[in-house]
Amino acid sequence: MGPLTESMTRLCGEVVALRGARLAFVRDLGQDVADMKAEFRRAHADMGRRTKAERQGFVKALGHEVASLMAGFHRAHKAMARQTKAERRAAVNHLKKTVGGMRREFALDLAGAHQVWCGPTPAERRAQAEALHRAKAEAEQIKAAAERERQASLAMVKEESVRHHGSPAAKEETGRPGKKKG
C-alpha cells in the first residue's frame, strides 16, 4: 500500500470516527438540551404553582382590604349624609323662619302704608262700628246692672232699718235729726 492509500485509509477512518463523534456529540447535545428543557419546564411549573398560590393569597388579601375600605367608606358616607341632611334641614328651617318673619314684617308695613294712603276699608269700618256698638251695649248693660245692684242694696238697707227700728211710719215721725216737724 502506498502512501496515498494509507493516507486515504487513515483519512477515511478519521472521517468515520469524526462522524461518529459528531453524531454522539449531537445526540448528547440533544439529550442535554432535552434535559435542560425538561428542567426548565419543571422549574417553570413549580414557579407557576408557587406564584399562583402567592397571587391568589395576594388577591384574596387585597379583596378583604378593599372590602373593609369600602365598608368604611360606606359608613363614613352614611354618617356624612346624615350630618349634612340635618345641617341642611336646620339651615332651611332657619331660612323659613327668617324669610317668614321678613315677609310678615313687610306685609304689615305694606298694610299700614295702604291703610294710611287709602284709609280703612269698608269691612274695617263695619268692624269698627260693630265693635263700638258692642262696647256701648256692654257699657249700658254694666250701667244697668250697677243700677240694679244699687237699688237692691238700698232695698236691703231699708229692710234692715225696718227690722231694727220698727215700722217705717215710726221712722217718719221721728224724722231726721236737726229738722223740725212740720
Side-chain angles (χ1 to χ4, degrees):
M1 273 212 250
L4 184 60
T5 305
E6 260 182 45
S7 289
M8 284 303 237
T9 305
R10 188 178 41 84
L11 186 60
C12 191
E14 285 178 8
V15 167
V16 171
L18 285 174
R19 184 181 295 147
R22 198 173 61 242
L23 286 175
F25 173 73
V26 168
R27 190 176 53 243
D28 289 344
L29 187 60
Q31 186 61 39
D32 289 345
V33 168
D35 290 343
M36 195 183 304
K37 284 173 72 178
E39 183 60 33
F40 283 157
R41 275 192 227 102
R42 267 193 308 277
H44 187 258
D46 288 344
M47 186 176 65
R49 281 190 295 275
R50 190 176 63 250
T51 57
K52 182 178 181 180
E54 289 172 356
R55 278 193 319 270
Q56 286 175 340
F58 172 75
V59 168
K60 193 179 226 181
L62 186 63
H64 289 305
E65 189 173 335
V66 167
S68 68
L69 280 171
M70 287 181 68
F73 290 154
H74 286 299
R75 282 191 302 274
H77 183 262
K78 283 182 182 179
M80 183 179 64
R82 279 192 302 272
Q83 181 182 359
T84 56
K85 185 177 182 179
E87 289 172 356
R88 281 192 314 269
R89 279 188 178 166
V92 167
N93 285 338
H94 177 69
L95 269 175
K96 282 182 181 179
K97 287 178 184 176
T98 304
V99 170
M102 293 168 103
R103 288 179 68 190
R104 279 190 295 278
E105 185 179 320
F106 184 72
L108 289 173
D109 192 28
L110 190 61
H114 182 269
Q115 189 171 11
V116 166
W117 184 260
C118 297
T121 63
E124 289 173 339
R125 278 188 242 135
R126 276 194 305 273
Q128 287 174 349
E130 288 174 6
L132 184 62
H133 179 70
R134 278 195 301 266
K136 283 182 181 178
E138 286 177 9
E140 286 178 14
Q141 286 176 353
I142 291 171
K143 204 183 241 185
E147 182 60 29
R148 283 193 302 272
E149 188 82 21
R150 190 181 69 76
Q151 290 293 333
S153 295
L154 284 176
M156 285 177 66
V157 167
K158 281 184 182 180
E159 274 184 34
E160 287 293 318
S161 163
V162 168
R163 280 191 211 154
H164 290 297
H165 298 297
S167 71
K171 187 175 185 184
E172 285 179 14
E173 288 178 8
T174 58
R176 287 187 287 183
K179 288 272 190 168
K180 293 185 178 176
K181 290 183 188 179

